[in-house]
Amino acid sequence: MAMFYSKYSGCGPPVYCLKTRLHRTCGLFAGAMLEQLLIHQPEDPIQFMIQHLLRDNDHVPKIVVLGPPASGKTTIAMWLSKHLNSNLLTKENMMGKKVSPVATEARNYYQKFKTIPNNMLIQLIKERMGEEDCIRRGWILDGIPETREQVLMIQTLGFAPRHVIVLNAPDTVLIERNLGKRIDPYTGEIYHTTFDWPSEPEVQNRLIEPKGISELETAQKLLDYHRNIARILPSYPKILKSISADQPCVDVFYQALTYVQTNHRTNAPFTPRVLLCGAVGSGKSLQAALLAQKYGLVNVCCGQLLKEAVADKSNYGQLIQPYFEKKITVPDSIVIKVLVSRLQKQDCVQKGWVLHDFPRDLDQAFLLRSSGFSPNSTKDLNSGLGFARLS
């Protein structure tokens, strides 16, 4: 039964199918779409939303990797970009573009002053993220933003990360680690004389010592980093993952990879519609009661509904009474009417429901779906197949 609903959910009559698609669209895209609408404030919002949906890129990686000097953020960002087939964005590769006037200006400025102003960096980011490969495959920012001002400027452009990773380690560890840092000028890969030395002699021979890795220079960079990061982190309260960099790089990477592959829960409206399936004695009634109590759902037991209808002597109850007296099964056509009547009530519509004791076979499942009440979460207590968390 769980497999049945997984396969056929949302495949009902045209109107219900449309409602299901709209609900899924709301859950997947509402946050990002609303964010873009507020930022760009287009003259034609409908056309803007259509174009947003046609791009179909809300699922691509949009990641920021931050961390102090020698924390390994560039290595982690590079590994993530390779594993996710996404684009790594660094100051160096954005300035290195040969055909971009913005990159040329930034490169000349950097060669002269060893830094670039915020507005120039933001123009580089805007140009790069607007390119087709970043739109299709997403992006990973390495060490950017560096200041609170850059955070706000990037947000103003409408580029919001979905995951932010912050690496951390004691300053003493970082200073010691930075002293052994070496770079492969051909690939940009970062190595270490103690912890991560390449096995190939050819690579060993071409490694170079980067500038600015002395103890004094590293200490000054750490001071600047700590001053700025304290103002950056509050900008990403719900999408932030802090990972200790004082552990093997592979372990750091797998923690980062696990995080960026998770989906954040949407704030879009969601009404739980839970179906519990299982044989007699599988615990459906108990689980339904627990779910209803914990999440404020309406506990709907089909068998109990029929008994209540008879006890209340309602119109449906009068139809059901003869079947009870003869101890024979109530026809599905009557059962579904009683069930639909309950699920249509205001408390079920507002709070959501957890249903058990129906459907018991495939025909009843089709009947429930055709009535417009397909569940969005299903649990088969016989097999242990689960459903998504409700909170």
Side-chain angles (χ1 to χ4, degrees):
M1 188 63 69
M3 293 177 64
F4 168 80
Y5 275 100
S6 173
K7 182 176 180 180
Y8 289 97
S9 179
C11 297
V15 173
Y16 182 70
C17 190
L18 176 60
K19 286 170 64 179
T20 302
R21 290 176 182 172
L22 287 174
H23 182 273
R24 289 175 179 169
T25 299
C26 181
L28 291 172
F29 302 114
M33 188 184 296
L34 178 60
E35 181 180 74
Q36 296 299 312
L37 282 170
L38 291 174
I39 291 171
H40 296 285
Q41 300 182 16
E43 294 183 4
D44 187 349
I46 301 299
Q47 186 61 33
F48 181 88
M49 288 189 287
I50 291 173
Q51 292 300 319
H52 179 90
L53 291 173
L54 288 175
R55 282 198 298 271
D56 190 26
N57 70 336
D58 282 324
H59 64 284
V60 301
K62 296 177 182 178
I63 303 167
V64 167
V65 181
L66 302 175
S71 60
K73 59 182 178 295
T74 297
T75 298
I76 298 303
M78 290 178 67
W79 288 2
L80 286 174
S81 69
K82 291 177 181 178
H83 190 90
L84 301 174
N85 191 29
S86 190
N87 297 283
L88 178 64
L89 275 58
T90 67
K91 280 185 182 180
E92 289 73 21
N93 64 28
M94 287 189 290
M95 286 192 300
K97 293 184 62 179
K98 302 298 183 182
V99 295
S100 166
V102 177
T104 301
E105 182 183 1
R107 191 164 57 249
N108 293 336
Y109 191 97
Y110 185 82
Q111 289 173 351
K112 188 174 182 181
F113 299 102
K114 301 305 176 185
T115 185
I116 56 175
N118 286 345
N119 61 340
M120 195 173 289
L121 175 62
I122 298 307
Q123 286 301 313
L124 285 172
I125 294 172
K126 180 180 179 180
E127 180 182 70
R128 184 67 184 92
M129 289 188 179
E131 294 177 358
E132 183 65 22
D133 60 340
C134 278
I135 293 174
R136 286 187 297 102
R137 297 192 288 115
W139 42 265
I140 300 172
L141 277 174
D142 172 20
I144 304 171
E146 299 172 314
T147 64
R148 167 74 173 169
E149 291 70 30
Q150 291 179 9
V151 172
L152 298 177
M153 294 173 77
I154 292 172
Q155 289 177 343
T156 302
L157 292 177
F159 300 118
R162 188 171 290 110
H163 300 89
V164 177
I165 295 169
V166 180
L167 305 181
N168 57 75
D171 286 356
T172 52
V173 172
L174 296 172
I175 291 173
E176 181 181 357
R177 182 185 294 180
N178 212 29
L179 293 173
K181 185 177 181 180
R182 298 294 184 269
I183 296 178
D184 185 341
Y186 288 4
T187 65
E189 294 276 359
I190 297 176
Y191 296 92
H192 194 275
T193 54
T194 303
F195 307 115
D196 185 23
W197 192 246
S199 56
E200 302 86 352
E202 182 182 354
V203 177
Q204 295 176 7
N205 294 332
R206 67 175 183 241
L207 295 183
I208 61 173
E209 180 179 312
K211 297 180 181 179
I213 64 170
S214 70
E215 185 172 343
L216 185 62
E217 290 170 306
T218 302
Q220 182 58 52
K221 290 178 181 178
L222 286 169
L223 187 64
D224 294 339
Y225 170 81
H226 291 309
R227 183 173 60 247
N228 287 311
I229 197 67
R231 300 181 63 225
I232 292 174
L233 299 188
S235 302
Y236 306 115
K238 296 182 179 180
I239 58 173
L240 185 65
K241 174 70 172 179
S242 179
I243 300 175
S244 171
D246 192 14
Q247 58 182 318
C249 200
V250 173
D251 294 341
V252 177
F253 169 69
Y254 278 113
Q255 290 179 48
L257 180 63
T258 299
Y259 175 63
V260 301
Q261 290 179 328
T262 60
N263 293 319
H264 300 298
R265 292 190 60 82
T266 175
N267 290 324
F270 173 76
T271 302
R273 302 188 301 273
V274 182
L275 172 65
L276 297 183
C277 305
V280 175
S282 60
K284 298 189 297 296
S285 298
L286 175 60
Q287 293 301 321
L290 293 173
L291 287 171
Q293 181 180 15
K294 182 172 182 179
Y295 299 107
L297 308 180
V298 178
N299 187 351
V300 181
C301 174
C302 193
Q304 187 63 32
L305 288 180
L306 300 181
K307 294 177 183 178
E308 290 174 356
V310 172
D312 294 341
K313 298 182 180 181
S314 64
N315 292 335
Y316 290 133
Q318 293 176 20
L319 293 174
I320 297 168
Q321 180 69 39
Y323 297 97
F324 274 19
E325 292 174 351
K326 297 177 182 179
K327 296 183 179 181
I328 60 177
T329 303
V330 180
D332 290 348
S333 58
I334 298 177
V335 175
I336 195 66
K337 289 178 181 178
V338 176
L339 181 57
V340 167
S341 176
R342 183 65 185 92
L343 297 179
Q344 286 177 337
K345 289 188 176 180
Q346 192 68 19
D347 58 346
C348 284
V349 173
Q350 289 183 340
K351 299 178 181 179
W353 42 262
V354 52
L355 172 64
H356 53 109
D357 210 24
F358 187 95
R360 295 185 175 184
D361 55 42
L362 199 58
D363 291 336
Q364 290 183 351
F366 274 111
L367 193 59
L368 180 64
R369 189 197 65 184
S370 64
S371 300
F373 290 97
S374 287
N376 49 32
S377 297
T378 305
K379 172 72 175 181
D380 184 349
L381 297 179
N382 293 326
S383 68
L385 295 175
F387 48 78
R389 284 185 60 194
L390 303 179
S391 66

